Amino acid sequence: MKTKIIRIKEALEKNRSIVLTARCAIIYSGRAEAFLPDGDRFIIIKADRSMVIHQPTGSNPVNHMREGASVSIEQSGKNAILKAAHLANKEYLDIELKKIYSVHDQCLDDGQKQVIAGTEKDMADMLFSNPEIVEKGFRPLSTEEHTKYGFIDVFGYDKDNVLTVVECKRYTAQLNAVQQLRRYVERIRKVRGVDKVRGIIAAPKISSNAEKMLKDWGFRHIVVKPPNYLERFDRKQSKL
Amino acid sequence: MKTKIIRIKEALEKNRSIVLTARCAIIYSGRAEAFLPDGDRFIIIKADRSMVIHQPTGSNPVNHMREGASVSIEQSGKNAILKAAHLANKEYLDIELKKIYSVHDQCLDDGQKQVIAGTEKDMADMLFSNPEIVEKGFRPLSTEEHTKYGFIDVFGYDKDNVLTVVECKRYTAQLNAVQQLRRYVERIRKVRGVDKVRGIIAAPKISSNAEKMLKDWGFRHIVVKPPNYLERFDRKQSKL
DNA sequence: GGGGAGAGATGCCGC
DNA sequence: GCGGCATTTCTCCCC
């Protein structure tokens, strides 16, 4: 135990990343209050002083601290206390280490950022570049138009020159989405001083309640799936 | 490399939890598509076949698979490919291991569940038990009403016997929250056939736009913070 | 038990 | 830092 504590202390001083497996109890105070009794866990302490704690099952961390915490370890009788405090966030995490099974510390090097495709923004871009997907004669003016009441995914004129707001959803559009659309349409009516503004939900599906509200408001739904660039990329690759 | 691959393979067979640090590239396909070029990362594979991948900075995982994936590792030239597939979720994760720095595998034992206080539900319960926080003369009927009205946090009568809907938010209430409230109030008016239904947002703060919309709709905001049971508990303890 | 639907909780991004 | 929304989510209900 003592050797491992010293090793952790040194790694912290050298600002190395650390992975522990240990039996411990955890007390957290911050956005909420949480307590977790003794059990075996993974603990990751990164060089930027963020921390992640995982139980032996499940994909979600049981607790974490965001980058910029101050982390320290102290012996306390037979045990050790690993403390992390994030003053700016008013968060405090105390880990009472009852048994340290393993310690690994290392400097890690990674400057990469993940590229994601198939997001709502990708959908909006697709509709902007291929307006006929929305409707024949649709002429988009902008994507991600910012208004005071939020930003509009795609905004343009329909074939009869009526202002049209398109709200994209990657999955099933729900009540929420219809209200969002309603808010934008109301807003545009007011700001532009026009009576007639159309609203369209672009989504692969719509829930029945949402559809009802949609009709009540005179809006419509078009079936659109989000694009999957990487999938296409993979298919191309698989031909090689 | 070869020894480490064998060790991982054996650990997988024995259903042990594994922690790696490795240089790798990652391809994910599922709800979205994602690609992450070569870099150093932490990889945790748990006994329930959930996985978590962390870059050397930041508190969030760059990728993960939920429990129930099938995980395998294969040599591929100089590298190794760690594959995780979750057929039920239609998710696929391929990790191309260029260099394995460390491997640790172990059986971990943890049956504990975290106790959390200070959630939105705790707020609703607090208002139900202490209705005078909402208003003098407020008489709550229910909390977390899962009815045709939706999930109403607190529902009751004010001192003048007017139906009142209270929507709780732990943090700053935003446009979203006001719309939620608006939806509930509209629905109750319709279902109960009464004109007058009041709406109240209970939150520590409210954004300026949300407040504007709140006033437009004749609702009000009361300043309420979520309760912190454990914090109180800690204070009690610290007196000992 | 699986799918749908509603909403919570958190991160990100733009101002 | 605040205020908008998106989400590789969560949970519950219902079939």
Side-chain angles (χ1 to χ4, degrees), chain A residues 60 120 150 167 169-170 183:
Chain A
N60 288 322
E120 190 173 301
E167 172 63 31
K169 290 292 164 198
R170 297 184 53 197
R183 196 164 76 220

Side-chain angles (χ1 to χ4, degrees), chain B residues 60 120 167 169-171 180 183-184:
Chain B
N60 288 322
E120 189 172 299
E167 172 63 32
K169 290 291 165 199
R170 296 182 56 194
Y171 307 117
Q180 222 176 309
R183 201 162 71 221
Y184 297 151

Side-chain angles (χ1 to χ4, degrees), chain B residues 158-174:
Chain B
D158 75 1
K159 67 179 192 321
D160 303 319
N161 284 321
V162 176
L163 278 171
T164 302
V165 179
V166 184
E167 172 63 32
C168 300
K169 290 291 165 199
R170 296 182 56 194
Y171 307 117
T172 308
Q174 300 199 232

Side-chain angles (χ1 to χ4, degrees), chain A residues 41-235:
Chain A
R41 280 127 212 175
F42 302 96
I43 302 169
I44 297 178
I45 307 168
K46 299 186 182 180
D48 65 357
R49 291 299 174 266
S50 55
M51 273 177 78
V52 189
I53 303 163
H54 274 266
Q55 291 186 289
T57 57
S59 57
N60 288 322
V62 71
N63 216 316
H64 72 267
M65 291 291 273
R66 277 178 287 218
E67 58 181 88
S70 29
V71 182
S72 63
I73 187 168
E74 292 305 330
Q75 181 113 24
S76 159
K78 276 178 62 182
N79 302 330
I81 310 277
L82 183 61
K83 273 179 184 286
H86 200 303
L87 297 179
N89 294 354
K90 287 181 189 160
E91 289 185 298
Y92 304 90
L93 184 65
D94 284 14
I95 304 179
E96 214 176 316
L97 297 163
K98 305 294 168 66
K99 190 160 176 28
I100 301 172
Y101 302 117
S102 73
V103 180
H104 172 74
D105 66 280
Q106 181 185 349
C107 278
L108 294 169
D109 177 34
D110 184 1
Q112 299 298 335
K113 235 188 121 115
Q114 191 164 216
V115 183
I116 299 179
T119 63
E120 190 173 301
K121 174 138 185 21
D122 291 326
M123 264 182 96
D125 289 343
M126 178 180 72
L127 297 185
F128 187 79
S129 312
N130 306 278
E132 68 281 352
I133 296 178
V134 177
E135 277 180 351
K136 212 177 153 117
F138 178 64
R139 285 171 293 125
L141 295 169
S142 64
T143 60
E144 305 253 310
E145 168 105 1
H146 283 259
T147 72
K148 231 189 140 178
Y149 271 29
F151 58 89
I152 296 173
D153 287 336
V154 187
F155 186 52
Y157 286 106
D158 75 2
K159 65 178 194 322
D160 303 318
N161 284 321
V162 177
L163 278 170
T164 302
V165 177
V166 183
E167 172 63 31
C168 300
K169 290 292 164 198
R170 297 184 53 197
Y171 305 117
T172 309
Q174 301 200 225
L175 287 171
N176 220 352
V178 182
Q179 281 194 298
Q180 220 176 311
L181 183 62
R182 173 181 167 183
R183 196 164 76 220
Y184 299 151
V185 168
E186 279 175 354
R187 187 69 190 162
I188 298 278
R189 275 197 191 121
K190 196 172 169 186
V191 172
R192 300 238 176 175
V194 287
D195 254 9
K196 217 171 167 189
V197 177
R198 295 182 55 209
I200 295 179
I201 297 261
K205 267 183 74 182
I206 187 162
S207 78
S208 56
N209 275 338
E211 191 167 23
K212 202 161 152 287
M213 185 183 266
L214 197 78
K215 280 180 181 159
D216 285 350
W217 282 82
F219 303 145
R220 65 176 291 230
H221 165 230
I222 59 172
V223 178
V224 180
K225 282 186 193 174
N228 258 348
Y229 297 117
L230 290 181
E231 200 179 290
R232 270 191 282 157
F233 177 74
D234 281 345
R235 279 203 207 105

Side-chain angles (χ1 to χ4, degrees), chain B residues 79-125:
Chain B
N79 302 332
I81 309 277
L82 183 61
K83 272 180 183 287
H86 200 303
L87 298 178
N89 294 354
K90 287 180 189 158
E91 289 185 299
Y92 305 90
L93 186 65
D94 285 13
I95 304 179
E96 214 175 318
L97 298 162
K98 306 295 168 64
K99 189 159 177 27
I100 301 173
Y101 301 117
S102 73
V103 181
H104 172 73
D105 67 281
Q106 181 185 349
C107 278
L108 293 170
D109 177 34
D110 185 1
Q112 298 299 338
K113 236 189 125 126
Q114 191 163 221
V115 183
I116 300 180
T119 63
E120 189 172 299
K121 172 134 184 27
D122 291 326
M123 262 181 97
D125 289 343

